[in-house]
Amino acid sequence: MSGKHETGKHETGKHETGKYETGKPGTGKRASGKLVAVANMKGGVGKTTTVVMLAEALAADGARVLVVDLDPQASVSVCLAGEEILGEMIAKGRTLEAYLALKLIQNEKPILAPRIRANVSLTTHGNEPLALSLLPAGPYLRLVERELIYELTGRKYSMHAIEGQLWTLFQDDFVPLAAIYDYILFDCAPGISPMTEIAVRGADLVLVTSIPDYLSTYGLDAFVQTIWGSGRKRHSRLAPKRLPHVLVTRYQQNVRQHQQTILRLEEEAAAEDAGFRLLTTRIPQAAALSEALMPREVPPTFSGKYGAHVSQVLIPLVAELKEILHGA
């Protein structure tokens, strides 16, 4: 990945006021924010829907939220920014993969802030736009991650050293953003890509979204074992901070398989040697939630967008996450 679309004029720090973040980590007076990775080895399990809903629910609750897109499909980026704005950001190199290419492949010193789009959500709450920002992904993220491995291997880096490079980047560039934002949500790619693994290992909380059926939960054990099991010994310095928490999505109460799967997950999560915890909040299968991701001609209000799901799903979910992360 050459990063030729990335030019010096985008590195000057002269950002468009009101559109891109200009704050510096450490200048805010807020308490340290929390990093949350939303992940699953399997795709199609409501991950992006969960990230959008959770980001807007946290922002409606008064938090300042940043969404970091680690999925080359860029689903959460297009849901939040829309096709026009996302296309503009990709063209100007204001994406995660452009940043990674410049920093780790071309050994330049790019600035992360110009790639964060502020006030990206059109949803309003209390007559104000939600305080929601986005660091988008573009279609070449997976290619950049692959080229990164090739490039550093060619420089005689071991895989352990490459992981160390990514870990250092995460600690130096992403963790300090917690001084600006109350919550940083990482929408991880299906499977375990290099950046996904680093985000999962570095997050304060990992949410594993899963439909309560056989196929969706089949890879759960493998995912847990890869990151929290034997992998912990190999990556002792990168060990996750806590066990992952499974969030049931697209739940249909009248489907027997869903009921049986949840009972099994509850039993496994309650075991003494459990590899995961289970959230009590369930994201139902609902057309209204799917429609919430669709673009609208008129900017919606938060309550108008999610309707009864605000009180039935989103408020309980935010409360549960706060209890896990803050103990209150």
Side-chain angles (χ1 to χ4, degrees), residues 154-323:
R155 296 180 199 168
K156 308 303 182 184
Y157 279 74
S158 66
M159 286 304 298
H160 184 74
I162 293 172
E163 290 166 350
Q165 286 280 309
L166 291 174
W167 181 255
T168 298
L169 179 144
F170 186 82
Q171 295 295 320
D172 290 349
D173 296 355
F174 289 91
V175 172
L177 293 172
I180 299 174
Y181 302 97
D182 298 306
Y183 296 95
I184 302 174
L185 305 183
F186 294 88
D187 186 22
C188 298
I192 306 179
S193 69
M195 282 303 297
T196 286
E197 181 167 1
I198 292 299
V200 166
R201 293 187 183 280
D204 296 297
L205 172 65
V206 179
L207 288 182
V208 181
T209 57
S210 183
I211 301 171
D213 60 30
Y214 175 74
L215 288 178
S216 299
T217 58
Y218 180 77
L220 178 59
D221 184 62
F223 180 61
V224 171
Q225 286 301 316
T226 299
I227 304 296
W228 288 266
S230 59
R232 184 179 297 181
K233 298 177 181 178
R234 185 167 60 91
H235 300 274
S236 58
R237 67 191 179 93
L238 311 184
K241 298 179 181 180
R242 53 165 57 89
L243 289 177
H245 285 64
V246 174
L247 172 63
V248 169
T249 59
R250 299 184 182 174
Y251 173 53
Q252 298 181 64
Q253 191 172 9
N254 59 342
V255 175
R256 185 177 180 183
Q257 186 185 21
H258 285 200
Q259 297 173 351
Q260 293 174 336
T261 301
I262 286 180
L263 288 175
R264 175 174 59 81
L265 291 174
E266 288 175 341
E267 290 177 359
E268 293 179 8
E272 189 172 329
D273 59 346
F276 62 88
R277 301 287 182 248
L278 183 65
L279 294 180
T280 59
T281 305
R282 313 275 189 255
I283 308 297
Q285 175 72 42
L289 295 181
S290 298
E291 292 171 359
L293 302 185
M294 301 298 292
R296 304 188 183 194
E297 294 184 5
V298 179
T301 63
F302 178 69
S303 59
K305 186 174 185 178
Y306 295 105
H309 296 296
V310 172
S311 59
Q312 296 173 3
V313 178
L314 298 182
I315 290 177
L317 179 58
V318 166
E320 195 166 5
L321 290 186
K322 281 185 173 183
E323 185 174 359

Side-chain angles (χ1 to χ4, degrees), residues 120-131:
V120 71
S121 176
L122 295 178
T123 305
T124 62
H125 185 63
N127 296 321
E128 295 289 340
L130 295 177

Side-chain angles (χ1 to χ4, degrees), residues 36 38 51 54-55 58 65-69 183-187:
V36 179
V38 182
V51 172
L54 181 57
L58 287 167
V65 181
L66 168 65
V67 173
V68 178
D69 196 347
Y183 296 95
I184 302 174
L185 305 183
F186 294 88
D187 186 22

Side-chain angles (χ1 to χ4, degrees), residues 81-93:
E83 293 183 29
E84 183 177 349
I85 292 176
L86 179 59
E88 169 197 316
M89 296 183 75
I90 292 173
K92 293 182 177 180

